[in-house]
Amino acid sequence: MKVAAIQMVSGISLDANLSEALRLLRQAASAGAELAVLPEYFCFMGQKDEDKLVIAETPGLGTVQDFLSDVARDLKLCIVGGTLPMATDDPTHVANASLTFNPKGTQISRYDKIHLFRYDNGRERYDESAVLLAGDTPTSFDLRSRAGQDWRIGQSVCYDLRFAELYRALAADVLLVPAAFTHTTGSAHWEVLLRARAIENQAYVIASAQGGRHENGRRTWGHSMVVDPWGEILAMQSEGPGVVMAELDIQRLHGVREQLPSLQHRRL
């Protein structure tokens, strides 16, 4: 199954971000992708955290959801919409939600980011809990490839990557990590954590990232990549917008699990 990790450098204009996402998704579809994963905050990187509240959407209604549905249907592509702000019962907080649309344009999953980023090194300070409401439900979906192979796809977002227990609970064939890692934390931990999650779960990892200098002054690490179940990086892009393509081989997946059997994958 051909997959695409979409890397972006999203800005403060929703329309401009969606236009750029469309360009990259078209590129992925033209290259034969069946599954494309957009990065966290693909549709919007505001000047301040509270800006997320302004563009929050309700389930089934909103510009970003319509965009994802229409593009998935038009390109006949399964699209994981990175994340977008979704309204909650608390008007001061939104959910950081990752929505998946199948090639018919139907939403087939929603995952709300569970682990919220908090970091303070004396120079940079982030606290997502100021405007985000944490999710509480591990989420996966099933995807049948054009070749007729069934894949279990486990969802996560960015800071989730540091919490190995989430991925064990997913017990998936492919793990998704749309992200907006800071340059500081990404340079230290992004690759090693992605490869660790692939190795310990004997699963492919598709990590789509924000990568570059944003209009709001933030700098993200990028290095979108696809990692195989042995921990080998199949494809990667360091910075700037682009499409990272790779082919997932289900026989490779089965082979690794047969060589290193675990209770998690005993069904193989």
Side-chain angles (χ1 to χ4, degrees):
M1 177 172 65
K2 284 189 176 182
V3 301
I6 307 295
Q7 183 159 289
M8 296 179 64
V9 189
S10 298
I12 61 177
S13 167
L14 177 64
D15 289 343
N17 294 329
L18 295 185
S19 178
E20 176 71 347
L22 177 58
R23 180 184 73 84
L24 295 168
L25 288 167
R26 283 174 171 164
Q27 183 178 330
S30 296
E34 301 176 51
L35 170 65
V37 185
L38 290 159
E40 185 180 28
Y41 302 132
F42 82 98
C43 59
F44 187 68
M45 291 278 279
Q47 293 284 12
K48 57 186 185 299
D49 288 342
E50 291 75 13
D51 291 343
K52 297 181 182 70
L53 303 174
V54 178
I55 68 162
E57 299 187 356
T58 57
L61 180 66
T63 299
V64 180
Q65 293 171 85
D66 288 346
F67 167 83
L68 293 169
S69 176
D70 291 345
V71 175
R73 183 178 59 252
D74 292 346
L75 297 180
K76 297 178 174 56
L77 183 64
C78 183
I79 298 175
V80 179
T83 65
L84 65 151
M86 296 289 285
T88 70
D89 293 336
D90 179 355
T92 66
H93 287 76
V94 295
N96 195 18
S98 185
L99 309 183
T100 304
F101 291 80
N102 70 15
K104 294 181 180 180
T106 302
Q107 183 184 320
I108 59 173
S109 78
R110 170 179 168 173
Y111 168 68
D112 291 359
K113 184 178 182 180
I114 293 175
H115 301 98
L116 302 183
F117 182 51
R118 182 178 295 172
Y119 177 68
D120 187 348
N121 66 357
R123 300 180 304 278
E124 302 170 83
R125 184 180 184 277
Y126 303 93
D127 185 0
E128 289 186 325
S129 66
V131 296
L132 296 184
L133 187 66
D136 59 10
T137 306
T139 302
S140 62
F141 62 92
D142 295 323
L143 179 63
R144 173 160 289 187
S145 71
R146 293 169 189 162
Q149 298 161 338
D150 292 320
W151 297 82
R152 181 181 176 89
I153 315 293
Q155 295 186 252
S156 70
V157 173
C158 202
Y159 196 54
D160 285 331
L161 184 58
R162 296 180 180 273
F163 299 87
E165 62 273 15
L166 171 62
Y167 299 90
R168 298 299 287 178
L170 291 170
D173 303 318
V174 182
L175 302 170
L176 307 182
V177 192
F181 256 58
T182 69
H183 192 272
T184 302
T185 57
S187 61
H189 300 143
W190 173 248
E191 181 182 323
V192 69
L193 287 172
L194 289 171
R195 295 179 69 191
R197 297 296 88 89
I199 292 166
E200 68 196 8
N201 292 286
Q202 299 174 327
Y204 284 98
V205 172
I206 304 173
S208 52
Q210 296 281 351
R213 181 74 68 177
H214 301 265
E215 287 180 273
N216 61 10
R218 182 173 175 177
R219 187 181 180 191
T220 48
W221 175 241
H223 291 77
S224 296
M225 66 181 73
V226 180
V227 186
D228 85 351
W230 196 254
E232 295 181 1
I233 298 173
L234 302 180
M236 181 177 69
Q237 177 163 322
S238 56
E239 286 191 316
V243 178
V244 177
M245 294 287 303
E247 186 158 0
L248 310 191
D249 182 351
I250 204 162
Q251 295 307 316
R252 169 66 167 166
L253 180 75
H254 291 179
V256 170
R257 291 177 177 179
E258 288 169 357
Q259 292 167 32
L260 293 169
S262 69
L263 289 176
Q264 182 183 18
H265 302 299
R266 180 171 284 178
R267 58 189 173 86
L268 296 176

